[in-house]
C-alpha cells in the first residue's frame, strides 16, 4: 500500500523513530482521521439525528460489532505464543460473552432493540448498506492477510475510542428522548475494556516495529483502519442524511421494527424510581457486595440472585454508602481515574437506575 | 477454611446455592409440596453442630446463598443459631417460611442474627381459599401479620405463590397483595409436578387458556410496576415449548441437604431408583459435590441420548428435569417430555389438557407417615 497519509514529515518517514515518536505519530493519525471527526458522528453526538437516522446507524454498526470477533479469531490463530494468545483471546470473550445473553455483540443487539428493531432483522444483516459490508469485510481480510504487526496495529483505533464512547453516552442521553438508559448498557463495559486492549496492542507495535519500513507499515495499517470506520459513516450520511440516496436493498424507515405499542409510563414507586445526580443511593438490607474467594471476583448478593460485578461496578458500589450522592461518587471516580466527571456521572446513573429497577438499590 | 480440600475437583465449577431442608415438620399441608412422599421424622433430623459444620464446608466450597427451608424451618429450636452461623460465614441467608406457627415470634431474633431475606409462601388471596389449599385454618391472618412484621423490620420480602387450578384466578390478586404488603419480589410459580404435586396432578392442573391469561397478567403488571415490584414467573412445564434447566442443571449450581443429612442434586432426585446418595454425616460437602454417584450420574452432557445429545440447547436446559423424565417417560436419561422435541411431548400436553378439563378430585394433603406411593396411572410410563 502506498502511504496515504505521511507521518509528521516525509523526512521523518525515512528514518527510524524512537518508540515514543512512533506512538506520537500513531496518535497524530487518530487526531486527524478517527471517525469522531466525521460529520455524521457530530450530528449523532449533538442530538441532531432523527430516530430513523439513529436506527440506521445502530443497524449498520451491528455488522461491524458482529465481525470483530471473527477478525480477532483470525488474528489469534496467527499469534505464535501462548502469552500473546491469552491476552488477545480476551477480546473475543468481551465481544462474544461467556454465555448466552452476555458480551459486546449482545449488548449492541440490545441497543438496536432499544431503538425499535426486531432482533432477528438485525441479526440477518440484510438491511445494511453494501458499503458497510465492504468496509468491514475488507478489515477482516486485512487482518487475516497482512503481517501480524500490521494486523495488530490496525486495532489501535481503540486508543482513541474511550473518549468517543463517553461522548456518545453523554451526548445521546442528553439529546434523544427515545434512548433509554438501559439501552445504553453496552457502553458500561467498553469504558474499561478499550484502554486495556489498546495498551497491549500499542506496546506490541512499539516493540516490534523496529525498522523504518515496519513503522511505516504500522502507521499505514492504522490509517487503513481509520478509513474502514470513516467509510461506514460516509455511506450512512449519503444514504440517510444527504442527499438521502438509500440503495435498493438497504433498510428503509419502517422496516424490521417491532410494532410500537402504547405503554403506560412506569409509575414512580416510593423509595425507587429515577435516581438523579443529587440522590443518595444505598444498598438496602438484604443486598450486599462481597468478594467471592473461590471464584476470585466480587459479587452482589441479593434476594434469590447473584450479580457478577465488573471493575466499574465494584468501583461505584464501593462508594455507595448511603452518605454520598451520585454527584459525589462521580467526582470521586473522576479524580481517581482522571476522567470527565459529567461523563462518569451519566454512566453511573445508567448502572444505578438499572439496579434500582431490579429492586436491589434504593435512594 | 477447613482442613479438607474444599473442592477436590476444581475442574467442576463450584456450587452457588445450598437448599438446607432443616426439617420436614410443617403446620401446612399443601398438596403440591416439593418434599418427598416419605418425610423425615424429627428423630432423624441433623443436630445443630452438624448443620453448622455443613454450612462451614459450604462456604469453603464456594456456596453463596443458603436457603433455610423445610418443611417449616422456624419449627427448629436452633433456627436463630443456624442463621447466625450463616451470617458469620458471609453466606446469604434466605428464610423460606410459611409464616405461621412460631415464625413470627422468632423474627426479631432472626433479624438480629443477620438474616438477609424472607420468602413467604401464600397459598391464595381469599382467606378461605388459601386455607383450603394449605390445609390449615386461620393461617392467612398469621401470614399477613408476619409479612407486616418482616417489612416493618426493614427486611426484604418476597412472596411466593404456587399457581394451580385452585388459585389461577387469583394471579391479579397476588400481585395486588404483594404491593400492599410492601414486598419487593413476587414469585408466580406454576406448580411443577413432582412429589406431592405429582400425586395431586389431576386436582392441580390448570387449562391452557387460564395459563396463558395468567402470563399476560404478569407481563402487564411487570410493565406497570417496574421499579416497584419484580415479578418472577415460572411457567408450567407441560404447556411449555422447552423444559427448564432443572436446578440450573444437574450438579451445576445447587446442593440440597435433607433433614436427615442426605445430599441431593435436586429435591426430587430420590424418586430416581438406583441413584446412590451420600450423607453429610459420612462425607464432606466438597467430596459429595465432586464424587457422590448421585451428583456425577447426570452432570454435564455425556449421559444424554437423542434428541438431547445433538441438540444445540443441551447446555441451556441440560435436557430438562431427570425426575420428570423418569416419571413420564420411564427413563431418567430420556429427554424431559416437557420438551417439544421429546417424542412424548404431545401426549404429555394432551394429558394435561384432559386432566384440566375434568372435575378436580379432592386433594391428597401432605402428611408425615402417610402411606402413599406415586400412583401408577395409565400414563406412567407413557
Amino acid at each position: 500500500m502506498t502511504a496515504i497519509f505521511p507521518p509528521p514529515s516525509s523526512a521523518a518517514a525515512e528514518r527510524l523513530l524512537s518508540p515514543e515518536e512512533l506512538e506520537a505519530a500513531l496518535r497524530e493519525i487518530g487526531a486527524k482521521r478517527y471517525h469522531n471527526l466525521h460529520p455524521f458522528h457530530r450530528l449523532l453526538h449533538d442530538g441532531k439525528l432523527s430516530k430513523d437516522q439513529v436506527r440506521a446507524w445502530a443497524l449498520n454498526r451491528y455488522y461491524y460489532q458482529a465481525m470483530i470477533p471473527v477478525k480477532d479469531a483470525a488474528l489469534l490463530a496467527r499469534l505464535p505464543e501462548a502469552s500473546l494468545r491469552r491476552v488477545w483471546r480476551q477480546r473475543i470473550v468481551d465481544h462474544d460473552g461467556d454465555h448466552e445473553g452476555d458480551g459486546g455483540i449482545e449488548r449492541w443487539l440490545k441497543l438496536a432493540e432499544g431503538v425499535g428493531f426486531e432482533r432477528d432483522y438485525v441479526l440477518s444483516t440484510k438491511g445494511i448498506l453494501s458499503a458497510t459490508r465492504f468496509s468491514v469485510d475488507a478489515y477482516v481480510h486485512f487482518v487475516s492477510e497482512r503481517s501480524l504487526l500490521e494486523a495488530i496495529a490496525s486495532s489501535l483505533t481503540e486508543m482513541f475510542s474511550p473518549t468517543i464512547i463517553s461522548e456518545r453516552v453523554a451526548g445521546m442521553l442528553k439529546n434523544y428522548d427515545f434512548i433509554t438508559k438501559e439501552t445504553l448498557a453496552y457502553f458500561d463495559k467498553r469504558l474499561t475494556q478499550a484502554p486495556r486492549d489498546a495498551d497491549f496492542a500499542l506496546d506490541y507495535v512499539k516493540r516490534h516495529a523496529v525498522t523504518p519500513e515496519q513503522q511505516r507499515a504500522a502507521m499505514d495499517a492504522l490509517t487503513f483502519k481509520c478509513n474502514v470506520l470513516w467509510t461506514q459513516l460516509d455511506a450512512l450520511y449519503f444514504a440517510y442524511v444527504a442527499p438521502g440516496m438509500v440503495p435498493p436493498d438497504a433498510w428503509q424507515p419502517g422496516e424490521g421494527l417491532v410494532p410500537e405499542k402504547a405503554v403506560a409510563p412506569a409509575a414512580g414507586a416510593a423509595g425507587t424510581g429515577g435516581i438523579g445526580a443529587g440522590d443518595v443511593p444505598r444498598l438496602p438490607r438484604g443486598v450486599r457486595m462481597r468478594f467471592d474467594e473461590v471464584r476470585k471476583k466480587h459479587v452482589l448478593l441479593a434476594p434469590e440472585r447473584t450479580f457478577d460485578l465488573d471493575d466499574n461496578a465494584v468501583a461505584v458500589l464501593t462508594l455507595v454508602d448511603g452518605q454520598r450522592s451520585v454527584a459525589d461518587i462521580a467526582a470521586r471516580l473522576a479524580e481517581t481515574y482522571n476522567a470527565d466527571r459529567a461523563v462518569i456521572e451519566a454512566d453511573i446513573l445508567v448502572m444505578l437506575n438499572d439496579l434500582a429497577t431490579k429492586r436491589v438499590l434504593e435512594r | 477454611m477447613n482442613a479438607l480440600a474444599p473442592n477436590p475437583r476444581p475442574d467442576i465449577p463450584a456450587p452457588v446455592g445450598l437448599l438446607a431442608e432443616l426439617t420436614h415438620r410443617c403446620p401446612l399441608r399443601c398438596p403440591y409440596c416439593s418434599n418427598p412422599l416419605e418425610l423425615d421424622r424429627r428423630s432423624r433430623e441433623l443436630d445443630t453442630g452438624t448443620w453448622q459444620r455443613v454450612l462451614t464446608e459450604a462456604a469453603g466450597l464456594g456456596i453463596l446463598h443458603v436457603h433455610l427451608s423445610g418443611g417449616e424451618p422456624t419449627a427448629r429450636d436452633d433456627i436463630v443459631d443456624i442463621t447466625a452461623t450463616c451470617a458469620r460465614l458471609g453466606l446469604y441467608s434466605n428464610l423460606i417460611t410459611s409464616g405461621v406457627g412460631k415464625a413470627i415470634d422468632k423474627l426479631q431474633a432472626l433479624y438480629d442474627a443477620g438474616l438477609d431475606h424472607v420468602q413467604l409462601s401464600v397459598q391464595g388471596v381469599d382467606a378461605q381459599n388459601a386455607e383450603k389449599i394449605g390445609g390449615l385454618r386461620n393461617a392467612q391472618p398469621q401470614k399477613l401479620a408476619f409479612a407486616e412484621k418482616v417489612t416493618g423490620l426493614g427486611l426484604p420480602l418476597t412472596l411466593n405463590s404456587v399457581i394451580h387450578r385452585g388459585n389461577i384466578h387469583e394471579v391479579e390478586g397476588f400481585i395486588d397483595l404483594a404491593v400492599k404488603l410492601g414486598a419487593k419480589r413476587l414469585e408466580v410459580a406454576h406448580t411443577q409436578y413432582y412429589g406431592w404435586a405429582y400425586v395431586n396432578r389431576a386436582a392441580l392442573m390448570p387449562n391452557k387458556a387460564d395459563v396463558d391469561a395468567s402470563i399476560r397478567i404478569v407481563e402487564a403488571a411487570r410493565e406497570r410496576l417496574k421499579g416497584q415490584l419484580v415479578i418472577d414467573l415460572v411457567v408450567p412445564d407441560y404447556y411449555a415449548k422447552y423444559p427448564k434447566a432443572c436446578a440450573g442443571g444437574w450438579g451445576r449450581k445447587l446442593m440440597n441437604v435433607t433433614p436427615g443429612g442426605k445430599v441431593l442434586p435436586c429435591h426430587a432426585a430420590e424418586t430416581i431408583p438406583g441413584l446412590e446418595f451420600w450423607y453429610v454425616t459420612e462425607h464432606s460437602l466438597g467430596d459429595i459435590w465432586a464424587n457422590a454417584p448421585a451428583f456425577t450420574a447426570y452432570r454435564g452432557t455425556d449421559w444424554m441420548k437423542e434428541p438431547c445429545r445433538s441438540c444445540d440447547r443441551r447446555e441451556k436446559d441440560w435436557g430438562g428435569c431427570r425426575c420428570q423424565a423418569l416419571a413420564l417417560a420411564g427413563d431418567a436419561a430420556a429427554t424431559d417430555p416437557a420438551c417439544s422435541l421429546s417424542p412424548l411431548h404431545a401426549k404429555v400436553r394432551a394429558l394435561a389438557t384432559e386432566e384440566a378439563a375434568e372435575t378436580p378430585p379432592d386433594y391428597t394433603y401432605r402428611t408425615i407417615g402417610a402411606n402413599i406411593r406415586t400412583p401408577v396411572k395409565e400414563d406412567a410410563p407413557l
Side-chain angles (χ1 to χ4, degrees):
Chain A
M1 191 199 282
T2 53
I4 306 160
F5 179 70
S9 71
S10 37
E14 310 274 315
R15 69 173 175 89
L16 183 65
L17 305 178
S18 70
E20 292 69 34
E21 286 174 316
L22 176 61
E23 179 175 342
L26 291 167
R27 290 193 183 280
E28 179 72 12
I29 292 170
K32 293 208 170 124
R33 307 193 72 100
Y34 192 55
H35 65 168
N36 62 333
L37 302 169
H38 195 284
F40 189 90
H41 244 142
R42 294 320 321 162
L43 293 174
L44 181 65
H45 291 163
D46 299 344
K48 292 183 179 155
L49 294 182
S50 69
K51 191 169 184 175
D52 280 329
Q53 287 165 335
V54 173
R55 282 171 172 157
W57 167 76
L59 177 70
N60 276 273
R61 172 112 184 161
Y62 168 74
Y63 185 63
Y64 176 72
Q65 296 293 339
M67 293 301 280
I68 289 295
V70 174
K71 180 273 293 185
D72 282 319
L75 200 152
L76 187 67
R78 302 170 60 200
L79 288 172
E81 287 168 36
S83 59
L84 299 175
R85 288 193 297 271
R86 262 199 299 277
V87 176
W88 209 271
R89 76 179 180 206
Q90 189 57 39
R91 293 166 177 257
I92 300 179
V93 173
D94 289 346
H95 260 79
D96 285 347
D98 269 333
H99 51 82
E100 179 104 5
D102 183 36
I105 297 178
E106 178 62 31
R107 289 194 293 275
W108 196 273
L109 278 167
K110 286 273 178 300
L111 173 71
E113 288 179 293
V115 295
F117 279 111
E118 293 269 11
R119 185 183 180 87
D120 286 345
Y121 180 79
V122 180
L123 286 169
S124 76
T125 74
K126 64 186 175 194
I128 65 169
L129 298 164
S130 299
T132 304
R133 195 180 301 282
F134 295 157
S135 346
V136 171
D137 291 354
Y139 182 35
V140 176
H141 288 303
F142 183 94
V143 168
S144 318
E145 291 159 14
R146 294 304 188 98
S147 69
L148 196 52
L149 174 68
E150 289 170 291
I152 291 177
S154 71
S155 74
L156 284 176
T157 42
E158 280 155 349
M159 286 196 292
F160 322 124
S161 71
T163 344
I164 191 171
I165 287 174
S166 323
E167 276 180 38
R168 217 181 272 155
V169 172
M172 289 172 80
L173 274 179
K174 230 175 22 224
N175 298 313
Y176 298 104
D177 56 6
F178 55 86
I179 303 271
T180 66
K181 288 166 179 174
E182 290 80 11
T183 302
L184 291 168
Y186 169 82
F187 302 99
D188 289 354
K189 289 209 168 159
R190 278 308 285 174
L191 281 174
T192 49
Q193 280 169 5
R196 187 194 62 206
D197 290 349
D199 289 349
F200 173 82
L202 180 61
D203 182 59
Y204 182 94
V205 170
K206 282 159 74 177
R207 282 190 294 109
H208 289 80
V210 292
T211 67
E213 293 72 29
Q214 286 171 339
Q215 293 184 339
R216 191 55 187 233
M219 287 184 267
D220 283 347
L222 180 57
T223 305
F224 165 81
K225 171 63 181 303
C226 285
N227 292 342
V228 164
L229 297 171
W230 194 275
T231 304
Q232 292 176 57
L233 296 185
D234 277 351
L236 279 169
Y237 196 98
F238 186 79
Y240 297 106
V241 181
M245 286 172 60
V246 180
D249 294 331
W251 177 75
Q252 295 277 3
E255 283 175 12
L257 302 178
V258 179
E260 298 210 23
K261 54 179 180 192
V263 175
T272 61
I275 290 179
D279 289 321
V280 176
R282 64 184 181 88
L283 295 177
R285 169 121 183 183
V287 181
R288 53 198 164 82
M289 181 166 71
R290 63 166 270 208
F291 187 70
D292 178 351
E293 289 287 349
V294 170
R295 297 169 191 85
K296 302 290 173 213
K297 63 180 184 187
H298 281 88
V299 290
L300 189 68
L301 298 177
E304 315 274 356
R305 59 209 301 188
T306 304
F307 297 87
D308 290 342
L309 302 175
D310 64 13
D311 294 346
N312 280 351
V314 174
V316 175
L317 289 177
T318 305
L319 297 173
V320 168
D321 59 359
Q323 313 272 326
R324 296 184 180 92
S325 69
V326 175
D328 295 340
I329 294 169
R332 185 75 175 269
L333 291 171
E335 200 180 317
T336 311
Y337 295 98
N338 192 22
D340 188 276
R341 198 195 56 77
V343 170
I344 294 214
E345 189 174 287
D347 280 354
I348 65 178
L349 280 171
V350 173
M351 182 194 132
L352 295 176
N353 276 292
D354 180 46
L355 291 174
T357 305
K358 292 175 175 141
R359 294 300 264 125
V360 296
L361 187 112
E362 293 178 0
R363 65 180 158 92
Chain B
M1 197 126 326
N2 62 40
L4 295 163
N7 185 357
R9 289 282 306 277
D11 54 314
I12 300 172
V16 292
L18 177 73
L19 180 62
E21 293 181 340
L22 299 176
T23 177
H24 277 155
R25 289 172 284 143
C26 184
L28 295 186
R29 302 186 293 140
C30 306
Y32 48 74
C33 182
S34 62
N35 288 156
L37 299 181
E38 210 171 305
L39 297 162
D40 286 347
R41 291 171 188 280
R42 182 176 198 158
S43 54
R44 291 191 49 198
E45 291 176 6
L46 297 177
D47 61 21
T48 312
T50 306
W51 274 115
Q52 287 172 327
R53 174 177 59 78
V54 168
L55 292 168
T56 307
E57 289 173 359
L61 188 54
I63 281 172
L64 300 169
H65 281 257
V66 173
H67 308 281
L68 301 168
S69 178
E72 173 49 52
T74 58
R76 293 258 321 196
D77 293 336
D78 56 2
I79 183 65
V80 175
D81 293 334
I82 287 173
T83 304
T85 302
C86 289
R88 185 170 51 74
L89 293 165
L91 292 165
Y92 191 98
S93 54
N94 174 21
L95 184 74
I96 300 180
T97 178
S98 65
V100 299
K102 298 173 190 163
I104 195 164
D105 299 331
K106 296 188 177 175
L107 201 51
Q108 180 68 52
L110 288 166
Y111 176 88
D112 294 340
L115 181 67
D116 285 304
H117 173 243
V118 176
Q119 186 201 104
L120 172 66
S121 68
V122 277
Q123 282 65 35
V125 180
D126 172 73
Q128 206 182 344
N129 190 40
E131 290 169 12
K132 178 185 173 223
I133 295 164
L136 179 71
R137 275 172 191 244
N138 202 31
Q140 195 75 346
Q142 293 183 61
K143 283 170 179 282
L144 300 181
F146 179 84
E148 272 181 34
K149 186 153 183 190
V150 171
T151 50
L153 284 169
L155 275 170
L157 173 68
T158 292
L159 289 193
N160 171 277
S161 57
V162 174
I163 304 297
H164 49 83
R165 198 170 177 174
N167 64 8
I168 195 163
H169 57 286
E170 292 190 309
V171 169
E172 193 85 64
F174 280 120
I175 295 166
D176 294 343
L177 183 64
V179 171
K180 198 176 111 201
L181 293 174
K184 293 183 184 185
R185 291 179 70 254
L186 169 66
E187 293 179 359
V188 177
H190 278 272
T191 307
Q192 305 294 314
Y193 294 95
Y194 325 119
W196 293 86
Y198 189 78
V199 174
N200 283 297
R201 192 178 64 198
L204 297 170
M205 184 66 73
N207 68 45
K208 180 82 165 53
D210 287 346
V211 168
D212 290 345
S214 73
I215 293 171
R216 281 196 301 275
I217 289 169
V218 168
E219 283 171 353
R222 275 179 175 160
E223 197 63 48
R224 188 174 74 239
L225 299 169
K226 199 173 172 186
Q228 183 177 6
L229 181 70
V230 173
I231 309 178
D232 280 1
L233 176 68
V234 178
V235 297
D237 259 333
Y238 287 35
Y239 292 120
K241 188 170 178 196
Y242 297 116
K244 62 188 181 344
C246 187
W250 189 277
R252 288 181 54 77
K253 307 247 179 201
L254 286 182
M255 302 186 86
N256 180 6
V257 180
T258 69
K262 197 187 277 189
V263 189
L264 318 174
C266 80
H267 48 56
E270 287 174 283
T271 60
I272 299 176
L275 280 185
E276 182 188 333
F277 301 101
W278 288 2
Y279 283 80
V280 293
T281 43
E282 290 164 9
H283 299 270
S284 77
L285 218 51
D287 187 19
I288 295 171
W289 180 250
N291 301 316
F295 276 84
T296 56
Y298 301 108
R299 179 180 272 142
T301 55
D302 288 348
W303 57 272
M304 286 181 178
K305 301 176 176 178
E306 293 297 351
C308 290
R309 180 171 273 279
S310 63
C311 180
D312 62 6
R313 295 180 56 86
R314 67 184 178 278
E315 296 198 345
K316 236 176 246 176
D317 52 39
W318 304 97
C321 171
R322 298 303 89 229
C323 308
Q324 188 150 282
L326 176 82
L328 298 176
D331 174 7
T335 297
D336 183 346
C339 180
S340 56
L341 301 171
S342 160
L344 296 172
H345 183 70
K347 280 191 181 175
V348 165
R349 185 177 272 223
L351 183 80
T353 309
E354 194 182 306
E355 284 182 349
E358 283 168 16
T359 308
D362 290 338
Y363 295 141
T364 303
Y365 284 109
R366 172 201 197 271
T367 328
I368 291 187
N371 187 20
I372 297 163
R373 297 190 171 279
T374 303
V376 180
K377 298 185 189 176
E378 70 278 15
D379 61 286
L382 275 165

